[in-house]
Amino acid sequence: MFQSERRERHREAVESLLSTGAAYLCDADNRPVAGTALRPGLAARFRMPAGRTVTFTDLVRGEVSFASDDLEDFVVWRSAGAATFLLANAVDDVDMGVTHAIRGEDLLSGVPKVILLLEALGVEPPVYAHLPLLVNAARKKLSKRRDDVSLGDYRARGYLPEAMANHLALLGWGPADDVEIRPMSEIVEQFRLADVNRAPAFFDTKKLEHFNGVYIRALSTEEYLRRSGPWLGERATWPPERTRPEVLEALAPVVQEKVRTLGDIGRYVDWLFLEDPPEDADSWKKAMGSEQAPAVLDDAIATYAEAGWTPEAAHAAALALAERHGLKLGKAQAPIRVALTGRTVGPPLFESMVLLDRAEVLRRLRNARARLGASR
């Protein structure tokens, strides 16, 4: 839209090139046409000077040279009556006072054309810096058709803007002290274009996830809950009327320590608000496949019908249960966890289970025991 609004300015630049002989008119078959006045049906091409070596200093790649004899005359004005991107971009940059052109290395080959074009217009070119391309795990250039490159998608999955910005800032560059996770103000202070690496930069989603987890853990509980709102509200998998804010607040510190994205929060707390725990076939098979599982569930039903209803009491009861069955605590609590939460992984079991009513805990334990009995 901006460039289309500047059509007359672009036309003026092309007419200047035509008037000095730096450009020429041509027809649809690229045959030169006499004259210097733009008119419908004719295009204008920049006349590439012969025998020139175009040399410039790129802040990332150092001195770069191109031979003009390796370059062809190129279109600056289309027969439809509009400037090409290269001409429009060069003129707009000049008019806006752009001093540094910083872009991807895939645009490096176009620089000699722009330099010669600006020279013909009597304008100094900007300083250039061509950054390394971003590549995926297969070391192929990131593609919007093949790779996950939408910032909106990352935001929707619960990546924090500050974590993404921190990660992006380190693609092709790193601070001298090797401290990667740091405030943007420090990154800005330390960043130098001359320190950017020439090699392709790997967009590492696992590293981004790690960064995001660190930033989430650094939030205050209040801010964490505020930012988690969409995933605990309109995007939640449970009916909104079943949400208990006091439960979310009580679990916030422990869940905040475990999640890597805000989108992960649901699977850590959904079981507290669903009528029945979510079903995960792999978790059920892993926890309920042992010979001790039925006896552990029977014991848990009897134990938690009488145990004190605090995290400490629930933990002590589980330790005693494990000892009675000759199991380590992790093995003993696995069937209990899956019976209550539906998954083998989640928030600390004893701190979270007491947030359910005792009656609900016993109901879920009995349901799991009945299901286990029916499957054997």
Side-chain angles (χ1 to χ4, degrees), residues 100-322:
H100 290 66
I102 304 171
R103 62 262 187 102
E105 66 172 302
D106 53 335
L107 298 177
L108 182 65
S109 61
V111 173
K113 295 179 180 180
V114 176
I115 289 177
L116 291 172
L117 183 62
L118 293 178
E119 179 184 282
L121 291 171
V123 179
E124 286 292 320
V127 176
Y128 290 100
H130 287 80
L131 307 178
L133 296 180
L134 304 185
V135 297
N136 59 21
R139 297 307 188 267
K140 293 184 178 180
K141 178 184 174 182
L142 284 186
S143 165
K144 62 182 179 182
R145 294 182 179 180
R146 180 187 59 237
D147 300 301
D148 196 358
V149 297
S150 167
L151 287 177
D153 288 346
Y154 281 102
R155 187 182 300 112
R157 296 206 302 271
Y159 285 86
L160 303 184
E162 53 267 44
M164 176 63 79
N166 193 158
H167 182 253
L168 291 176
L170 298 177
L171 296 178
W173 173 84
D177 59 8
D178 293 328
V179 177
E180 294 189 317
I181 299 178
R182 62 198 316 154
M184 184 54 64
S185 58
E186 293 184 9
I187 292 175
V188 171
E189 183 179 346
Q190 294 196 28
F191 182 81
R192 299 291 182 275
L193 277 170
D195 296 332
V196 173
N197 198 315
R198 300 182 186 182
F202 172 35
F203 187 83
D204 188 344
T205 54
K206 291 184 178 179
K207 186 173 184 178
L208 170 61
E209 191 175 83
H210 166 68
F211 276 32
N212 203 60
V214 172
Y215 273 92
I216 287 175
R217 291 191 290 277
L219 297 174
S220 66
T221 300
E222 181 181 5
E223 180 65 7
Y224 161 76
L225 287 170
R226 186 188 71 79
R227 295 209 194 185
S228 302
W231 291 271
L232 301 174
E234 64 267 23
R235 299 180 194 172
T237 57
W238 58 87
E241 65 272 11
R242 294 182 65 92
T243 300
R244 295 161 59 198
E246 71 279 6
V247 170
L248 292 174
E249 187 172 351
L251 271 184
V254 293
V255 174
Q256 189 176 353
E257 285 296 314
K258 287 183 171 289
V259 297
R260 296 292 187 93
T261 72
L262 297 179
D264 291 339
I265 294 173
R267 64 186 179 89
Y268 279 89
V269 301
D270 57 356
W271 59 277
L272 289 159
F273 309 119
L274 291 167
E275 185 173 353
D276 292 299
E279 290 196 16
D280 184 314
D282 290 338
S283 292
W284 179 269
K285 181 178 180 180
K286 183 177 180 180
M288 303 299 188
S290 68
E291 293 182 357
Q292 299 100 323
V296 167
L297 289 177
D298 286 336
D299 199 342
I301 292 168
T303 296
Y304 287 119
E306 302 294 337
W309 211 240
T310 65
E312 296 76 16
H315 183 218
L319 284 172
L321 183 154

